[in-house]
Every structure is written in structure tokens, then in C-alpha cells.
Amino acid sequence: MKKMITVTILSLSLLSCKHSNPLTADDRATGQGLHETFAGHFMIGTALSEPQILGADSSARKLVKKEFNAVTPENVMKWELIHPKPESYDFVAADALANYAAENNLFLLGHTLVRHAMTPKWVFEKKDGSAVSREVLLNYMQEHIRTVAGRYQGQVDAWDVVNEALNEDGSLRESPWYTIIGDDYIERAFTLAAQTAPNTALYYNDYNLFEPAKRAGAIKLIKRLQAKGIRVDGIGIQGHYGLDYPDLDEFEQSIIEFAALGIDVVISELDITVLPFPKKENQGADISMKVKLKAELNPYTKGLPAVIERQLGKRYEELFAVLNRHQDKISRVSFWGVCDANTWRNDWPVKGRTDYPLLFDRDMKKKPFASRLAPTM
Ligand code: GLA
């Protein structure tokens, strides 16, 4: 039976009660799934791409069933894919994912209803290039949320209602949502989501939330919703990291301060790049950033040297030590992708690199250090 989340009084114990996938004899022979390792602590999730959801090659779907108990669509529920034209929706891949999650008793996070990126131009602009009015944009938002969140009511367990509304200094991003509607667009989105999906947990999701200024901005945003009596159940710390960031004390502080707001904390999109980051000042996940490929930015095309793999393992161990310590505040840790072969990190912020950011390698083999992430108590 799929877990139901009580969203009015959000209960962390309910959120963290786990789905259990029965193991086959084959599975037992190859060891425990990751989600079993963390049972009783938090769910372990991953993101699935459209080919992994719909494709003839079912290897990723099989691996997910064994190793994970939560899934997020990497792209197929984003506005530009699910609602490409004003009157036209494409639910094929999202429906397939919802069915796969239901059949395999996997927690399903809907990602994402309102975002500045990957939203088609027609949403914000008239044919002549001028901006639509506040009223028109609010209508589009309402129709989109009612249609998409309405369709998956009872199937999607939680929604990322608003994604990436903050600048690095914690102020509100000047996205078309903000400039056309005004700063109440976030309230509108959460209110609509709460009306449409009353039994679904509602999250705010962003990157670089370990940075003190951005953390403070997120806290202000959540408190503002709470002060107006608008339901927000949790916060997604995306977790697109590297070998030398984030500062783990700041990361831990964010978990503590977010939980103190009385909301659930999830790590929603974890990966750790081993590649050099071309621009230090913007390590988050701003997908508009594009840097030209150069050999020195792509050093491990022939395999990951053992010394770097050790650094990656150590980094994951340090990060999971923090997560395990705060398991009472965290309901889910989701990776952004299944294995190194198809991570977005191979293409961002430099297209065509060879990265190694996940726990499963290019052959979908679990990396040896994964066993060292387990909770000790
Ligand atoms: C952010 C978004 C995701 C995705 C990644 C890059 O983290 O939340 O939807 O676009 O960037 O794949």
C-alpha cells in the first residue's frame, strides 16, 4: 500500500516511514538495496530521465526498484515538456512514471510546478514579444497547477511547488513570475497547489541553500508563507555539490535552521562533481550557464584515477555523516540521476565532459564507497 502523507500536521515520522520493496533471490545474492541500508532513517531516491522512463532498455528501472524507494522525474513534469502549448498537454511520460512508481511502491515527487527556467515563452510573452498581464499569467498558473497537480492527485506524494525563486543574496529572483505578477506569485502557487492537492506534501526547492544569505532568504520566504497561513510542508535542498563545496558546517546549519521552522527537510537532487568548476562564483545549478569545452576542464575521460575516487568517497562519507546525524529532520535524500552515464553533470556547465558524481558507475555498478555511507546506529 502506498504511503499517505498527512499534510495538515506534517509528521516527520510519517514522511520517513518507508516503502518496502520485496527482494528477489537475485537481489539478495547481490546485497542490500541502498534504501534498505537507510530504512528507518530516510528514503533514498533518484531522478529518472524520459528515456529511462519510456525506453526499451529497462536496466535503469530495474536498478531503481532494487536500490531506491523514491523517484523524481528529471524533466518530464517540467512545464515545457508537460504543457508545451497553451491548450496542449503531453502526459505520456509523466503517466508512465506515475504508473511505474505505483506498481513498485515508490514515493513520487512531482517536479516542478512553477519555475523561471524550462517554461515556454508563450507563458510570459504575447506574440508581439510584450509581456502578458498579471491577470493572464495568474490564469495560466491556475490552469497549469489545477490540471497537472489535479491529474496526479493520489499518485504524486509531494510537489516541488516553486523551484529556484531566490537570488544568491537571498532576495527574490527577478524571474518573469516575479516581474509580471509581483512578489505574491509564490503565495499564489502554494495556495493553488494546496487547494488542488490537499493530500500531497508541498515543498520549496532551491540550490546553494548552504550559503548563509540564501539560507536567510529561504527562511524569510517560508516564514512569510507560514505567517499568511499558507501551507508549506518542506524544503528541498538540491545538493549539486563538488569535492570542495559546500562548507559542511554551513550545510548542517541550514538543515538545523530549516527544521526549526517546523517543516520537513529533504536533499532533493544530490550529486558531487569531481570536475573542475570553471567559474567559482556560481557553483549552484544555474542551467543558463554555458562554458566552452577545453581539455583541462575534462581531465578524466579515460577513467577516474583512484586518488580522485577516494576523495569522492570521503566527501560522500562526510556529507552522509551530517545527514545521518540529522535523520530525525530529513525524510528523503534523492540523487539527481541513476548512474554516471546519464548525469546532467556530463553536460553542465560544460557540454560533453566525463563526470562521476553518483553512487553508481557507468555500468550501473555500485561504487565501493557506497557501503561506507550507512548509518552506524
Ligand atoms: C536544477 C533543477 C532540476 C534540473 C537540474 C539540472 O537542480 O531543479 O530540475 O534542471 O537543475 O538538471
Side-chain angles (χ1 to χ4, degrees), residues 78 111 115 163-164 205 238 240 269 285 287 336 344:
K78 287 178 183 163
H111 174 81
R115 186 185 181 196
N163 205 38
E164 302 167 350
N205 189 50
Q238 286 187 4
H240 297 296
E269 307 183 10
I287 59 167
W336 201 243
W344 76 300

Side-chain angles (χ1 to χ4, degrees), residues 126-369:
K126 293 193 263 192
K127 287 217 172 74
D128 65 7
S130 62
V132 299
S133 66
R134 169 180 158 94
E135 198 192 358
V136 165
L137 190 52
L138 281 171
N139 280 339
Y140 283 156
M141 181 198 275
Q142 172 166 313
E143 198 241 26
H144 181 81
I145 292 181
R146 292 221 169 126
T147 306
V148 178
R151 183 179 183 90
Y152 297 107
Q153 166 72 336
Q155 289 183 291
V156 160
D157 296 287
W159 273 108
D160 282 338
V161 179
V162 176
N163 205 38
E164 302 167 350
L166 294 169
N167 291 317
E168 297 309 290
D169 67 0
S171 60
L172 287 178
R173 182 194 283 274
E174 294 77 20
S175 71
W177 293 107
Y178 174 86
T179 53
I180 298 171
I181 296 179
D183 65 1
D184 60 337
Y185 86 89
I186 300 172
E187 297 159 24
R188 296 287 189 128
F190 273 89
T191 304
L192 280 164
Q195 287 164 355
T196 312
N199 299 314
T200 306
L202 307 179
Y203 287 76
Y204 173 70
N205 189 50
D206 212 329
Y207 56 83
N208 280 355
L209 289 177
F210 63 90
E211 295 283 6
K214 206 160 179 182
R215 175 204 303 145
I219 291 173
K220 195 169 152 201
L221 185 157
I222 303 282
K223 281 190 168 165
R224 184 170 157 165
L225 293 170
Q226 290 175 328
K228 296 196 172 186
I230 297 168
R231 179 161 70 81
V232 51
D233 300 305
I235 187 157
I237 296 177
Q238 286 187 4
H240 297 296
Y241 296 146
L243 293 178
D244 57 359
Y245 65 98
D247 176 307
L248 290 176
D249 292 338
E250 297 294 0
F251 172 67
E252 182 162 17
Q253 192 58 27
S254 291
I255 295 172
I256 293 168
E257 290 191 28
F258 293 151
L261 297 168
I263 57 172
D264 180 36
V265 179
V266 304
I267 310 303
S268 54
E269 307 183 10
L270 184 57
D271 51 27
I272 300 182
T273 181
V274 298
L275 298 179
F277 206 89
K279 289 189 187 167
K280 270 279 178 247
E281 73 280 8
N282 183 2
Q283 292 167 321
D286 176 356
I287 59 167
S288 65
M289 182 174 169
K290 290 187 175 66
V291 177
K292 216 164 163 264
L293 179 62
K294 285 189 264 176
E296 68 259 34
L297 292 176
N298 193 20
Y300 312 126
T301 51
K302 300 203 169 67
L304 191 62
V307 60
I308 310 290
E309 169 129 348
R310 275 199 296 280
Q311 283 175 34
L312 178 66
K314 183 166 172 279
R315 188 76 185 143
Y316 262 115
E317 277 182 65
E318 290 165 351
L319 197 86
F320 268 79
V322 176
L323 299 176
N324 288 330
R325 195 151 63 235
H326 294 287
Q327 53 85 18
D328 57 325
K329 307 172 184 64
I330 298 170
S331 70
R332 177 169 47 86
V333 175
S334 285
F335 291 84
W336 201 243
V338 177
C339 75
D340 290 344
N342 28 50
T343 159
W344 76 300
R345 287 289 198 169
N346 292 325
D347 292 308
W348 182 86
V350 186
K351 203 164 170 45
R353 295 199 293 179
T354 306
D355 206 345
Y356 302 80
L358 297 167
L359 295 193
F360 293 86
D361 69 13
R362 283 178 163 66
D363 299 320
M364 293 194 186
K365 286 213 185 70
K366 205 186 277 183
K367 297 182 185 176
F369 63 75

Side-chain angles (χ1 to χ4, degrees), residues 34 37-38 317 359 366-375:
L34 273 178
T37 305
F38 290 91
E317 277 182 65
L359 295 193
K366 205 186 277 183
K367 297 182 185 176
F369 63 75
S371 63
R372 299 200 297 271
L373 311 183

